[in-house]
Amino acid sequence: FIKMDIAKVFIAFVFVLINSIAIIVAPFLIAGAVDTYIATKNVSGLSHVIILLASIYIVTIIAGYLQGIIMGNVSQRTLYRLREGVFNKLQSLPLAFFNQNKAGDLMSRVNNDTDKLNQFLSEGVSRFFGTFFSLVGVAAFVLYINVKLGSAMLAMTVVLIVFVRIISPYVRKKS
């Protein structure tokens, strides 16, 4: 159902990548500005960094907006095609199927399940990849800045992953 919009998904993916890179680069520039220009009271150099940061934030806003618009469009078109396919499938089912299943349950399932898929496509995918790229970029920058600090951070990430693996079955069972 999403195959027709795969080019748009790729474009949205590029915007997610641009957004993630801009989010990662901004703190690095701020740190450099503090160390280089604020410490030496170089106002002209600081103004260049401020203009560059403003540009990066504008790019971040535009990329996030375009990615949201594109993925919203893709998810709506996919949702339409999916509901149309489900409707056509329901139309082809024998009457005995409808005697065994309540029409309200079927309608509720079709609407709720397709809506969950819509939410996943419009928000979940881009949020997941944006967060993933941001985390990888932050880890790379921390390792670049200080290998010991980066290693300590990554070691805590391993501890967190192990903790989540241990507690996940309990949470899944309770929910």
Side-chain angles (χ1 to χ4, degrees):
F1 293 107
I2 201 169
K3 205 182 294 185
M4 294 177 183
D5 292 321
I6 202 72
K8 288 182 180 179
V9 171
F10 180 74
I11 292 168
F13 182 75
V14 169
F15 283 126
V16 168
L17 191 60
I18 289 169
N19 197 357
S20 297
I21 290 170
I23 288 171
I24 293 166
V25 167
F28 193 67
L29 286 175
I30 292 170
V34 168
D35 293 343
T36 306
Y37 300 115
I38 293 178
T40 61
K41 298 179 182 178
N42 182 346
V43 177
S44 66
L46 184 61
S47 63
H48 288 28
V49 172
I50 290 172
I51 291 170
L52 183 60
L53 277 172
S55 302
I56 287 173
Y57 287 133
I58 289 170
V59 166
T60 301
I61 291 168
I62 292 171
Y65 176 77
L66 291 174
Q67 166 261 313
I69 292 291
I70 291 170
M71 283 308 292
N73 183 291
V74 167
S75 67
Q76 287 298 311
R77 289 170 47 94
T78 303
L79 180 68
Y80 174 78
R81 287 191 292 269
L82 178 63
R83 284 186 174 162
E84 186 178 45
V86 170
F87 178 78
N88 290 336
K89 178 64 178 175
L90 286 174
Q91 291 293 316
S92 69
L93 293 173
L95 283 176
F97 175 80
F98 295 101
N99 288 335
Q100 295 172 352
N101 298 290
K102 295 178 184 177
D105 290 342
L106 291 173
M107 292 303 296
S108 175
R109 194 175 304 150
V110 166
N111 285 331
N112 290 335
D113 291 353
T114 54
D115 189 51
K116 294 293 181 194
L117 189 62
N118 179 35
Q119 289 176 0
F120 172 72
L121 285 175
S122 63
E123 299 170 13
V125 172
S126 56
R127 187 175 297 150
F128 171 77
F129 282 111
T131 303
F132 175 76
F133 288 135
S134 295
L135 288 174
V136 168
V138 167
F141 269 123
V142 170
L143 285 171
Y144 172 75
I145 293 169
N146 189 329
V147 176
K148 288 182 182 179
L149 181 62
S151 300
M153 181 188 79
L154 293 178
M156 291 309 298
T157 304
V158 172
V159 170
L160 182 64
I161 290 170
V162 169
F163 176 74
V164 168
R165 288 285 203 180
I166 291 170
I167 202 166
S168 287
Y170 174 75
V171 172
R172 194 174 300 128
K173 181 179 161 187
K174 289 295 182 185
S175 66

